[in-house]
Each structure stands twice: as C-alpha cells, then as structure tokens.
Amino acid sequence: MAQDLPPESIIIADWHRCAESKDFFNRILHKKKRKQFGLLESPMMAPHVAVETVQYKVFLSGKSGVGKTSLAARLAGLSSPNMHYETTGIETIVLYWPVKLRENGRVLFFRLQLWDCGENALRRFDHFLPSCKEQVDAVLFLFSFTDRTSFDDLPNQITRWSGPSNRIVKMVVGTKFDLFMHSDVTQREVRQFQDTQGLPVLRTGGEVSDGLGDVAPFLNCLAERLWNQDCMAATLPSGPTHYREGALI
Amino acid sequence: MMLQDGSTQVLCLTANSGVPLFTRGASKQLPFSVIGSLNGVHMFGDGQGVVLSSCQTDCGGRVVWRVFHDSVMLIAVNGGHGSTGVIQGHVKGEELFLERLLENIWNCMVLVLGRDELTNMRNVERLKKDLRSCFGLIDQLLEDRHQGIMGNLTHCADCLLPPNPALVQEAVNGFTQSVDSEFGCLVVHGRVAAATENWWRLAPQEVILLSALMRMLSSSGSASCDYPVFLPQGSPTVAHRLLRFQLLPGADVCVLCGPTPSLQKAQSDLVRQFWSPLVETLRDCLAVGERCLPGTVSLRVPDVLALLVLNREARRSVSCVRPSADDSPTLPSKARCWELLRLFYIFAATRYFSQEEAPVPGALAEEKAHSRSSASGDFVAGFPHQPLQCYLVTEECKCYGLQTQQHQLFLLTPLSVPTFALRNVATQTLLAVTADTGF
Ligand SMILES: Nc1nc2c(ncn2[C@@H]2O[C@H](COP(=O)(O)OP(=O)(O)OP(=O)(O)O)[C@@H](O)[C@H]2O)c(=O)[nH]1
Ligand SMILES: [Mg+2]
C-alpha cells in the first residue's frame, strides 16, 4: 500500500498557532467559534490576498451509533446532541480549513464536504451508497473503542472500497476514545492493525472545546493525504485535479 | 399526575397486545405500572364496546388515547397546570392540542418508516428498533411549541413574509423545475418563505410535518441532505426523496423528487446557478427575523403584544411576539407570550370559531369531523350563527379574536390597552398584516 506518507511532510503542522496564520483562521471563526458557511458562502479574504480553494468529498463509513454524525459535527465545530438520533438519510457538512504548504509557502483553503449516511438508511434504501461513492475523494472508516464488533468489522469494510484503479484516501478513526475505561479494543491491537493494513488510525472523543487545536491534527492529516493523492495523480507540475478557482463571494 | 406541570409525554404501544414500543417527551418517564393501567383502562372500554378517547384528572392533567390502523396505540399525557389563570380555567384541558399532537406523531412515524412497516407488524422487536429512527422528528415536534411554532397546533403552515416575494418565488419555481419536481419550498428561520403551487396542494398535515423536518435538519447545521420521506396522505407506501440545501445559515431550500438527480449533482450544478444571484435577497429575508413580517408592515407597537393570523383557505399562518416583550417587567416574558397565544388560540378556536380545514380526502375527513364535534363543544352548537369576534381579559394580558371569510386573527395586548379599544386595535392589526402583503 502506498500510504507511507510521513506525517506533516507536506503541510506545516500547528500552523494555526503561528501569528501569520491568524488572518486566515479568523475567516473561519466567528466570535471565537467556528463559522458556519451556507452553500452560497465561502471564507472571504481581503481582495489583494488571492487564496485558492480546493474541494474534496469525504465519506464517513461505520455502523449505526459508532459516531459518524458526532464526528462530522465535531470537525465542523458544530454542536451535536448527546442523544443518539439515527441519521435516516444522507446529511453532508461543509467545512473550510486553511493550510500552508511546506514546499512553497502557498496557502490553500480546503473545502471538505463530509458525507454522513445513517447505517440503517444505507441498508434500507439502495440509492444511497452509489450517491455517496459518486466522485468521492476519501473514506474515513469509523470504529468505536467501546464496541468490539465495529473494530473487528473494519477489514471487511475496507476491502469493499479497494478497487484496482480507484484513487481514494483511506483513514481509520477510533471514536469514543474518551471512554477508554470501558474500552473494548487495546492500544496494541490498534497498532497491530495499523501495521498490517498500512492505514493511519486517528483517535477522537471527549469534550469538544471551542479551540482549533482540538481538530487541527485531524484536519491537517486528512488535508495532507488528499493533497498528496492529487499531486501524485497529476502528471503536470501545474497541480492536482481538484484545483478549483478561489471563487469567493 | 406524576408529570411536571405543563409537560407532555407520549406513549406508543402495540394496539392489540399493549407491548410498549417507545415513550417520548418529559424528562421523567411514567412508571411502567401507570403505562400498563393507561393501556388497561382503554382495553377495558374496548371490551365493553366503548372507545375511550380522553379523560381529565382533578388537577387539570389530561390523557388522550388514539389507535391508528388497528396497529399502534398512542397515548398523550399532559401534566396539568399549577397556575389557574383565566385562560387555563376555560380551556377544556388541552384536548385539541393533544389530539393534534398524536395525529402529528403518527404522521411522523409514517413519514419516516412508511405505513406498511407500521401496519404489517410481524416482528415487534424489530419495529421497536426501527421506530428509533423517528425520535429525532418526534422530539422536534415536542420542542417546537417552545420556539414559537404554531403550525403543529393550527395545521396552518408557519410562514415568514419576505420583503421581496416575487424574486424568491421565481427562484423557488425555477430551482424546483430544474430538478424535475413540482414540489419545492424555501424555509427561512424555520418558516416557509415561498413554495411552489403544488407544495401548497400537499395535505396541510404534510406541509406542517415537512416544515418540522426542515427545522430539524437545519438546526443540525448540515449543508445538504437527501432524506427518504413517505407522505402520510399522498404517498404512505412509496418513499420520495427530500433534497435540502442550506443556502445561508437559517435559509434552506428543499425539493421533493424521484430517483434523479443525485444529491451531488443537484448541489454542484444547480444550487449556485439558481441561488447565487439571490444572496442579498436571501439576506433580506433573514433580516426579517422572528418578526416574520417585512418592515413595511407597521404594527401599533405599544398595543400589540403578540399576534397570530391564519389564512383559512391557504392554510398558512404568520405569528410573532413583540421583540421587546422581555424588556418590560410589567409584561409577560416572550416565552410566556407564546404560551398565552397558544392557549388563547385553543380557547377561541374550540369555543367560538369553527375549525374549517381544506377538504382532506378519505379517512381523515372522518377523523376531522370527530375532532370538530368534540372540540367546538356544546357552546357553538347552541347557536344558529357563527361568532365573528371574541375577547378575553386575563390577569396577564387582554386577548381579542376576530374572523373574516378569509382570515382569523388572535391578538394579545398589554393590560394597559382599554378594553373598548381592543376591537379597533384588532381590526387595524389584521388590515396592516394582510393589506400590502397579500397574505
Ligand atoms: N463519549 C463519546 N460519545 C460519543 C462519541 N461519538 C459519538 N458518541 C455518542 O454516540 C452516540 C451515537 O453517535 P452518532 O454520531 O449519532 O452515531 P452515527 O454513527 O451517526 O449513527 P447512525 O446515524 O445511526 O448511523 C451518540 O449518543 C453520541 O453522543 C465520542 O467520541 N465520545
Ligand atoms: Mg448519524
């Protein structure tokens, strides 16, 4: 598997802590909270600062109750109910994330659209899976640390997405890591899994704080892999296929 | 009663064997023994050839039973009111509210699962599990009353009148056509701002329910959705797709459509094409805010505390509570105003004004006749004529109701407004709301 990308080799880690990034991160914040963008909106920069926006579609996969909807909300800085309300169709969430490339100091806005489809809905209606697969760029395979079966089922899920020619970034996410006291899955097993599958495993869970630090490592890791996939695919040095003009409203 | 004052709990059981399927509402569940008794007493009546539909407790609590399609029984339990305000004293419990609530909840279940799933009850355990997927929408309905939504009660869709209706109407029509649909609707702050003609031809209950679904989806902050929905009247056994797009936070457009286009396609190709030119127009709609009426409608501010106007034919409503209500210590709070408006609506609608609804096909008409006779009570029946106006003075506010051929107005004013002036304020208010807006 070609997933031997050393972490933070392409983008600058912890950029959100640098003073120079403030101007960019302020565009995705509102009163110290993450700003919500409607489909007709995007982060607005001063006219002389040209920032490119790159768009990606990310699908969240995993059994019912594993925490897909919660993860999507967390990454976008939205509040999610503590109750488990089954998602009875597809819901997508859009988030923007600024990133600085190590190589040339270019700043990009990543526009990630997270596709979240309730597991039971996926089974009841067969038009959902094709719709989620259409032009997808990445899949996050979720398992819950408190649900052994969700971990054991991962290899199954992953093989379902391995075609010969498809270029899809794959990552594994362990949810409910905050409930490690009740954990059903040991750290050793996770490391072992990581080595055999060659996929990165991220962990999430716990109180959501308003800060960016909460989600930065996750989003940077995802952004890096998406960008890398595009660069490898692009034969031209001019850049990847997902380049979109920064059409700012 | 074992429930908190004013809180409502809904129980769902299988109709023939009384197996509990779920409970929603009220933080503290009723004990199992009480649930059993509530089911038992209904069954007892059944055995005697009597349908038990409602009863009241000493302290103003109320229970309403209803069986749907011989398969599911819903029971609503209301905790009664601690206070004995004049309005509460006159309202026959909250029977109308609870009856509508049960009907809405049944429709919710059909909307999410389809009628077949609910009536062909082969495996109770599975149904129990499947019913969990309705909880989001059911809880939304139970919460709505706290957020100034009246449609669940009035069965008239809560609307927001945009400052530039022609522009948004055109965009809704165009966008809806572009996805090969005839059913499209723009929702701003959870209220319908514009919809296609055929959207308004859906059964009123369906319009209400779809609005609630939109509010639920919108509050999660998601950008777009593809949701299967069964229409309780129009298509209870075949699911349609509800595509919803968040244009701006607080402004959502939705369409009902068939297998195509895919969510991806509609979103990337069509949303921007139709809606980008309207960003400023949409912002103007959002600016209307909770008032629900454009700035051109001027109300006599010191005299109007809260209002609800129904367009009886079109099954639409606008309502608002004076935004400054929270500032003055002598006036009821905003939340209380909404509560009073609801209570006054129930009071006037059940005692004086008949419930005229657009004709609904089939089984529902029969159900409606039933609820009308029980709701209007004996009072109206004793008179050959229809009351056109009514008023009520309570210790918190004054209330005035007024109906014309086309509209009904329910108005709350501060106590400081002289009673003899109420009629005048009401007439002027109705005129102000309807004249320029064409509502
Ligand atoms: N403690 C803890 N609870 C979590 C976490 N993620 C999710 N949950 C809880 O797990 C339950 C289910 O989460 P959801 O995100 O709704 O599950 P889902 O994967 O979207 O489920 P479906 O929509 O039915 O497919 C909710 O009650 C969440 O509050 C986490 O990281 N930590
Ligand atoms: Mg979900």
Side-chain angles (χ1 to χ4, degrees):
Chain A
M1 300 226 169
Q3 302 277 1
D4 49 357
L5 183 67
E8 280 134 24
S9 57
I10 295 179
I11 65 171
I12 296 178
D14 286 339
W15 190 51
H16 65 280
R17 294 220 184 93
C18 302
E20 60 147 11
S21 72
K22 231 182 153 78
D23 200 25
F24 295 91
F25 279 98
N26 278 342
R27 309 294 155 171
I28 62 162
L29 294 172
H30 180 69
K31 293 184 181 156
K32 302 216 164 138
K33 291 207 163 132
R34 291 281 290 282
K35 192 167 146 47
Q36 223 186 309
F37 294 93
L39 288 172
L40 302 181
E41 296 172 305
S42 54
M44 238 193 308
M45 295 298 294
H48 62 278
V49 191
V51 184
E52 291 147 20
T53 302
V54 284
Q55 311 192 27
Y56 296 96
K57 171 171 171 178
V58 180
F59 176 60
L60 308 183
S61 164
K63 69 185 256 195
S64 180
V66 81
K68 298 181 290 297
T69 305
S70 307
L71 177 67
R74 170 188 287 260
L75 293 178
L78 298 162
S79 61
S80 64
N82 287 327
M83 275 268 308
H84 173 209
Y85 284 122
E86 243 174 56
T87 311
T88 59
I90 300 177
E91 285 187 48
T92 79
I93 282 187
V94 169
L95 67 90
Y96 286 86
W97 187 252
V99 150
K100 185 166 180 155
L101 299 181
R102 206 174 268 288
E103 187 185 34
N104 50 15
R106 244 166 89 198
V107 175
L108 299 169
F109 265 113
F110 275 70
R111 179 191 190 268
L112 303 180
Q113 185 157 23
L114 308 177
W115 285 56
D116 164 27
C117 183
E119 172 71 0
N120 293 328
L122 211 53
R123 256 185 274 140
R124 271 167 60 98
F125 298 92
D126 40 2
H127 65 279
F128 282 140
L129 194 58
S131 179
C132 291
K133 283 188 165 174
E134 189 181 354
Q135 292 176 36
V136 72
D137 300 298
V139 186
L140 305 183
F141 298 100
L142 276 69
F143 75 91
S144 158
F145 275 101
T146 59
D147 176 1
R148 178 81 213 180
T149 55
S150 69
F151 181 71
D152 292 338
D153 192 43
L154 282 175
N156 238 332
Q157 287 200 42
I158 294 167
T159 43
R160 251 179 275 157
W161 284 80
S162 58
S165 68
N166 62 3
R167 285 189 293 112
I168 299 176
V169 169
K170 292 173 197 135
M171 281 165 52
V172 175
V173 183
T175 63
K176 312 196 189 182
F177 193 51
D178 53 314
L179 303 177
F180 62 90
M181 302 280 279
H182 312 275
S183 184
D184 255 357
V185 183
T186 68
Q187 294 309 308
R188 234 189 58 202
E189 287 171 310
V190 173
R191 250 177 282 125
Q192 215 165 21
F193 173 86
Q194 195 161 343
D195 291 343
T196 49
Q197 291 280 337
L199 297 183
V201 179
L202 302 178
R203 294 166 177 80
T204 143
E207 282 299 303
V208 183
S209 67
D210 287 337
L212 297 167
D214 223 19
V215 293
F218 196 114
L219 291 175
N220 283 335
C221 179
L222 180 57
E224 189 156 59
R225 276 156 202 281
L226 285 165
W227 184 254
N228 185 50
Q229 168 174 269
D230 270 4
C231 288
M232 302 219 294
T235 44
L236 299 168
S238 64
T241 49
H242 275 83
Y243 173 78
R244 301 271 198 291
E245 235 175 279
L248 306 180
I249 296 171
Chain B
M1 274 279 157
M2 298 183 202
L3 289 179
Q4 248 179 321
D5 279 356
S7 66
T8 306
Q9 190 162 118
V10 175
L11 318 170
C12 177
L13 308 97
T14 60
N16 48 18
S17 50
V19 179
L21 293 170
F22 67 77
T23 35
R24 301 313 292 167
S27 47
K28 227 177 112 218
Q29 277 205 8
L30 287 169
F32 190 75
S33 57
V34 174
I35 300 180
S37 312
L38 288 174
N39 177 53
V41 68
H42 187 272
M43 253 173 36
F44 176 77
D46 226 22
Q48 313 292 313
V50 175
V51 179
L52 176 60
S53 61
S54 157
C55 82
Q56 194 167 1
T57 70
D58 297 343
C59 41
R62 185 168 275 279
V63 184
V64 170
W65 289 260
R66 184 83 186 269
V67 174
F68 294 89
H69 287 266
D70 283 333
S71 75
V72 164
M73 171 154 66
L74 289 174
I75 308 174
V77 185
N78 211 350
H81 302 278
S83 65
T84 49
V86 174
I87 299 189
Q88 276 99 343
H90 283 258
V91 173
K92 293 169 58 188
E94 284 207 320
E95 201 176 335
L96 176 70
F97 162 67
L98 293 179
E99 278 174 1
R100 294 242 156 130
L101 182 68
L102 291 188
E103 193 179 325
N104 290 338
I105 286 178
W106 165 256
N107 283 335
C108 247
M109 292 157 63
V110 175
L111 181 124
V112 175
L113 290 176
R115 202 178 56 203
D116 290 346
E117 175 114 13
L118 298 169
T119 50
N120 306 342
M121 208 179 297
R122 263 175 251 116
N123 182 339
V124 174
E125 281 313 306
R126 209 187 112 195
L127 178 65
K128 209 165 165 174
K129 194 163 156 285
D130 288 345
L131 278 169
R132 287 203 299 231
S133 54
C134 310
F135 290 176
L137 192 52
I138 292 175
D139 287 1
Q140 177 71 40
L141 281 180
L142 290 167
E143 293 286 304
D144 268 346
R145 57 192 276 203
H146 304 300
Q147 291 159 14
I149 294 297
M150 305 290 286
N152 305 339
L153 177 64
T154 61
H155 277 180
C156 294
D158 291 277
C159 293
L160 177 146
L161 306 185
N164 24 34
L167 276 178
V168 286
Q169 185 68 53
E170 197 184 327
V172 169
N173 291 347
F175 180 66
T176 307
Q177 259 173 28
S178 76
V179 296
D180 266 336
S181 165
E182 293 172 357
F183 303 91
C185 174
L186 175 71
V187 176
V188 176
H189 292 309
R191 294 167 170 86
V192 179
T196 58
E197 237 174 83
N198 275 342
W199 185 270
W200 293 118
R201 298 224 172 93
L202 296 169
Q205 290 87 336
E206 291 171 344
V207 174
I208 299 305
L209 221 55
L210 290 171
S211 301
L213 179 61
M214 289 289 282
R215 279 192 293 278
M216 180 187 95
L217 295 172
S218 175
S219 70
S220 77
S222 59
S224 63
C225 302
D226 184 342
Y227 258 60
V229 293
F230 296 86
L231 298 174
Q233 256 93 62
S235 177
T237 54
V238 178
H240 290 253
R241 294 165 68 219
L242 180 84
L243 301 187
R244 164 194 157 271
F245 305 95
Q246 183 198 53
L247 302 172
L248 300 174
D252 299 79
V253 67
C254 70
V255 286
L256 279 178
C257 60
T260 57
S262 72
L263 181 63
Q264 170 103 4
K265 205 167 191 66
Q267 179 178 298
S268 53
D269 298 354
L270 302 170
V271 170
R272 264 178 188 268
Q273 181 191 332
F274 281 89
W275 294 99
S276 288
L278 269 86
V279 171
E280 285 317 309
T281 311
L282 288 170
R283 289 199 200 285
D284 292 343
C285 292
L286 283 164
V288 167
E290 302 187 310
R291 191 172 180 256
C292 291
L293 298 166
T296 48
V297 174
S298 61
L299 301 171
R300 288 172 50 160
V301 171
D303 295 344
V304 176
L305 206 52
L307 65 83
L308 163 68
V309 179
L310 308 184
N311 184 321
R312 306 166 72 185
E313 241 167 88
R315 308 299 308 166
R316 299 174 208 182
S317 80
V318 281
S319 55
C320 64
V321 165
R322 176 161 127 195
S324 57
D326 272 337
D327 302 344
S328 164
T330 55
L331 298 176
S333 71
K334 225 163 114 177
R336 183 63 184 155
C337 283
W338 281 117
E339 185 69 11
L340 290 167
L341 193 58
R342 255 166 39 82
L343 289 167
F344 178 57
Y345 167 79
I346 295 174
F347 172 81
T350 54
R351 262 176 93 86
Y352 299 117
F353 299 162
S354 75
Q355 302 298 123
E356 270 172 59
E357 293 188 7
V360 186
L364 224 93
E366 178 195 318
E367 289 166 12
K368 203 178 59 209
H370 146 83
S371 79
R372 183 192 306 173
S373 60
S374 67
S376 318
D378 316 322
F379 186 86
V380 175
F383 294 93
H385 58 269
Q386 257 285 311
L388 295 178
Q389 310 193 356
C390 63
Y391 77 97
L392 187 70
V393 177
T394 78
E395 59 271 26
E396 290 172 275
C397 66
K398 295 183 182 179
C399 315
Y400 204 88
L402 185 132
Q403 67 174 339
T404 65
Q405 192 74 36
Q406 205 182 354
H407 296 105
Q408 284 180 343
L409 165 75
F410 304 87
L411 177 75
L412 305 187
T413 75
L415 289 171
S416 55
V417 177
T419 304
F420 65 80
L422 287 178
R423 174 197 302 236
N424 200 7
V425 177
T427 321
Q428 282 186 21
T429 304
L430 183 59
L431 198 68
V433 171
T434 56
D436 294 336
T437 59
F439 179 77

